[in-house]
């Protein structure tokens, strides 16, 4: 990592999740200045945009919170969720819950939604989880997580 990460460590940046502002020059500047290690939501970053190209080139993983995004109306439906677009490109994506109490969901439910909405297989979920271990910020737990999967 470079920029602010070098001074403060790993950074997950919730970004481009607001329908009102969408993607803006502020978002673009923030992406480049911080170069986050992960992006939260990123529902308003089109894959085929300058920012989408930047995210792909830098292989910045996207934390996808399907239920949160549907309830918050930053995506139309589960089937329209941007997770699938990024997944199909082979881009690093993670399924997350984002305030499970508020959105009445669990990680298991988010996985089931991905299976039901996009036809992911058990092997797809395992591959996604194995890859996600590389983006865990706490290096001390990575080996034990690999042993589980």
């Amino acid at each position: 990592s470079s920029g602010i990460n070098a001074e403060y460590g790993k950074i997950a940046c919730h970004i481009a999740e607001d329908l009102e502002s969408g993607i803006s020059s502020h978002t673009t500047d923030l992406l480049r200045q911080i170069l986050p290690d992960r992006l939260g939501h990123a529902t308003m970053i089109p894959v085929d945009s300058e920012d989408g190209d930047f995210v792909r080139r830098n292989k910045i993983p996207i934390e996808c919170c399907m239920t949160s995004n549907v309830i918050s109306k930053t995506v139309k439906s589960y089937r329209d969720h941007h997770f699938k677009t990024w997944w199909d490109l082979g881009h690093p994506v993670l399924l997350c819950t984002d305030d499970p109490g508020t959105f009445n969901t669990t990680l298991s439910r988010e996985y089931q939604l991905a299976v039901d909405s996009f036809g992911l297989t058990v092997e797809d979920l395992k591959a996604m989880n194995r890859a996600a271990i590389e983006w865990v910020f706490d290096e001390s737990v990575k080996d034990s997580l690999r042993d589980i999967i």
Side-chain angles (χ1 to χ4, degrees):
S1 295
S2 63
I4 197 168
N5 316 48
E7 185 175 346
Y8 294 102
K10 305 250 183 196
I11 294 175
C13 184
H14 281 224
I15 195 167
E17 59 178 305
D18 177 358
L19 282 174
E20 295 296 318
S21 61
I23 196 75
S24 66
S25 61
H26 173 71
T27 302
T28 298
D29 292 345
L30 189 64
L31 268 174
R32 282 150 183 77
Q33 288 172 9
I34 294 178
L35 189 56
D37 298 283
R38 292 194 311 244
L39 293 176
H41 302 283
T43 54
M44 301 295 130
I45 297 180
V47 170
D48 59 353
S49 67
E50 183 180 330
D51 290 317
D53 290 342
F54 182 83
V55 169
R56 282 196 325 272
R57 270 193 323 275
N58 288 284
K59 295 180 175 61
I60 305 171
I62 298 174
E63 301 169 350
C64 293
C65 307
M66 293 175 57
T67 297
S68 168
N69 298 147
V70 169
I71 290 173
S72 300
K73 298 184 180 352
T74 60
V75 297
K76 292 179 189 173
S77 70
Y78 292 108
R79 291 190 194 276
D80 292 320
H81 200 279
H82 65 295
F83 167 86
K84 179 70 165 133
T85 304
W86 292 98
W87 173 262
D88 286 347
L89 290 171
H91 188 80
V93 287
L94 307 116
L95 287 172
C96 302
T97 57
D98 192 34
D99 302 322
T102 302
F103 294 108
N104 192 28
T105 193
T106 63
L107 191 55
S108 295
R109 181 171 184 271
E110 297 299 301
Y111 278 57
Q112 188 64 55
L113 287 166
V115 167
D116 294 345
S117 300
F118 309 122
L120 267 61
T121 65
V122 170
E123 287 308 312
D124 290 333
L125 297 176
K126 286 180 181 178
M128 181 174 44
N129 280 301
R130 280 191 295 271
I133 291 169
E134 300 314 311
W135 311 312
V136 170
F137 290 170
D138 183 351
E139 295 291 329
S140 70
V141 301
K142 288 184 177 183
D143 287 335
S144 62
L145 291 172
R146 285 186 193 99
D147 291 341
I148 294 170
I149 297 178

